[in-house]
């Protein structure tokens, strides 16, 4: 009797804790193909810098709902952290359990950028939510996430191939368009990139963008002009610097899937 072929397990970390963006982020998790069982870790980060600010008397907290301003207090902030973490864990359970994904949840305290960089080095996929303000602006321009295309960044780096494969899965599962952003430092590199991407895509319909970009900040600036439902980026190990993680976390207009 032939032994069954083992199915590779995908390690996924989902950054949670913002009620304005968690729903869209978890929708990406629900689109992952069920034939690739995932080990899912929900991550909530208590920002240690924000806690340290609570000890400064002049720092104030402004509630958008009640429009009341008050002094930011460490004890109250910690209670808010715990409440947000509970809500995030419940949301993860609702998304992961029906799909059969084994999942766990962790709440960590520290510098969000440093913790995310360290965690990304240990997983296959990381899901980051859009910046809250960016999400609201994108919805005004393009409606809800449903129907907006999946965009994959395709460059010379080796993880770009895996990123494009993940983007194709998401586009298939969500029945949305696939947009491939060919990204190079020089225009003469674009024809070869397009040929490589077309070979991976095959007969699947796809749209192509050609972007000349030399750094992450410039790339994100160009991509924000596009209305995408999800952005999939391959991240080489040597590019896991704090600046890149901060830009992706704070300046993206849609959920981001980082692929190692």
């Amino acid at each position: 009797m032939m032994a069954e072929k083992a199915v590779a397990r995908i390690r996924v970390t989902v950054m949670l804790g913002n009620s304005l963006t968690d729903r869209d982020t978890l929708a990406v998790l629900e689109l992952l193909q069920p034939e690739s069982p995932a080990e899912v870790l929900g991550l909530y980060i208590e920002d240690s810098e924000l806690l340290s600010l609570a000890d400064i008397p002049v720092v104030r907290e402004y509630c958008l709902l009640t429009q009341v301003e008050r002094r930011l207090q460490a004890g109250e902030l910690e209670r808010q952290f715990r409440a947000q973490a509970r809500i995030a864990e419940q949301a993860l359970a609702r998304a992961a359990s029906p799909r059969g994904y084994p999942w766990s949840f962790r709440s960590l305290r520290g510098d969000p950028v440093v913790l995310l960089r360290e965690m990304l080095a240990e997983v296959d996929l990381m899901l980051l939510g859009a910046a809250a303000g960016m999400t609201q602006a994108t919805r005004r321009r393009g409606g809800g996430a449903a129907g907006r295309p999946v965009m994959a960044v395709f460059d010379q780096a080796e993880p770009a191939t895996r990123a494009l494969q993940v983007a194709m899965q998401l586009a298939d599962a969500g029945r949305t368009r696939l947009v491939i952003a060919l990204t190079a430092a020089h225009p003469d590199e674009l024809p070869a990139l397009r040929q490589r991407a077309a070979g991976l895509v095959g007969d699947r319909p796809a749209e192509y963008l050609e972007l000349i970009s030399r750094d992450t900040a410039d790339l994100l600036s160009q991509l924000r002009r596009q209305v995408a439902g999800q952005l999939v980026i391959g991240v080489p190990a040597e590019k896991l610097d704090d600046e890149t993680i901060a830009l992706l976390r704070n300046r993206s207009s849609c959920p981001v899937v980082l692929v190692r």
Side-chain angles (χ1 to χ4, degrees):
M1 181 177 177
M2 294 182 63
E4 293 185 3
K5 184 179 179 180
V7 178
R9 300 188 73 84
I10 300 173
R11 299 164 299 169
V12 182
T13 290
V14 188
M15 176 65 181
L16 298 168
N18 187 327
S19 59
L20 294 174
T21 62
D22 283 355
R23 182 179 63 180
D24 288 344
T25 308
L26 289 168
V28 180
L29 178 64
E30 294 171 355
L31 292 174
L32 291 175
Q33 294 290 4
E35 58 263 33
S36 300
E39 296 176 341
V40 180
L41 169 64
L43 183 63
Y44 178 82
I45 296 179
E46 299 178 358
D47 192 329
S48 57
E49 183 177 356
L50 188 57
L51 269 174
S52 67
L53 289 175
D55 296 326
I56 303 175
V58 297
V59 175
R60 313 292 290 179
E61 177 185 29
Y62 182 78
C63 179
L64 292 175
L65 181 62
T66 63
Q67 298 185 343
V68 172
E69 182 182 295
R70 62 182 179 179
R71 179 182 171 184
L72 183 63
Q73 298 181 339
E76 175 61 26
L77 186 57
E78 289 184 337
R79 284 191 289 272
Q80 291 179 21
F81 282 157
R82 290 193 294 270
Q84 291 169 356
R86 285 195 297 271
I87 293 170
E89 183 174 8
Q90 292 166 359
L92 176 63
R94 289 193 297 269
S97 297
R99 306 289 290 179
Y101 293 144
W103 64 274
S104 59
F105 184 87
R106 293 175 64 187
S107 182
L108 303 177
R109 178 174 296 181
D111 183 328
V113 170
V114 173
L115 291 173
L116 288 176
R117 172 171 49 79
E118 293 173 350
M119 189 65 66
L120 181 56
E122 300 175 359
V123 300
D124 301 300
L125 301 179
M126 177 176 282
L127 309 185
L128 302 178
M134 295 293 184
T135 297
Q136 293 167 0
T138 300
R139 280 177 175 160
R140 285 195 296 270
R141 286 187 293 153
R148 299 204 301 264
V150 177
M151 181 175 294
V153 174
F154 194 78
D155 56 20
Q156 300 283 8
E158 189 247 339
T161 296
R162 296 191 291 274
L164 181 53
Q165 291 168 342
V166 170
M168 288 189 288
Q169 290 183 357
L170 294 176
D172 285 350
R175 298 182 179 180
T176 57
R177 294 179 294 125
L178 174 65
V179 177
I180 303 173
L182 304 172
T183 308
H186 303 284
D188 57 5
E189 298 172 356
L190 292 171
L193 272 180
R194 188 179 187 117
Q195 185 176 14
R196 275 183 52 213
L200 293 168
V201 170
D203 296 332
R204 180 192 310 268
E207 302 171 26
Y208 292 89
L209 295 175
E210 295 186 348
L211 304 176
I212 304 302
S213 176
R214 291 174 174 80
D215 57 53
T216 304
D218 178 57
L219 174 62
L220 287 178
S221 178
Q222 295 185 61
L223 291 176
R224 280 202 303 273
R225 302 181 191 128
Q226 312 298 322
V227 181
Q230 299 93 32
L231 176 63
V232 187
I233 304 177
V235 184
E238 63 271 16
K239 289 190 177 181
L240 295 179
D241 57 86
D242 291 356
E243 181 182 7
T244 299
I245 297 296
L247 286 170
L248 292 170
R249 178 173 177 261
N250 298 321
R251 294 176 61 179
S252 175
S253 58
C254 66
V256 178
V257 184
L258 302 180
V259 182
R260 292 271 288 119

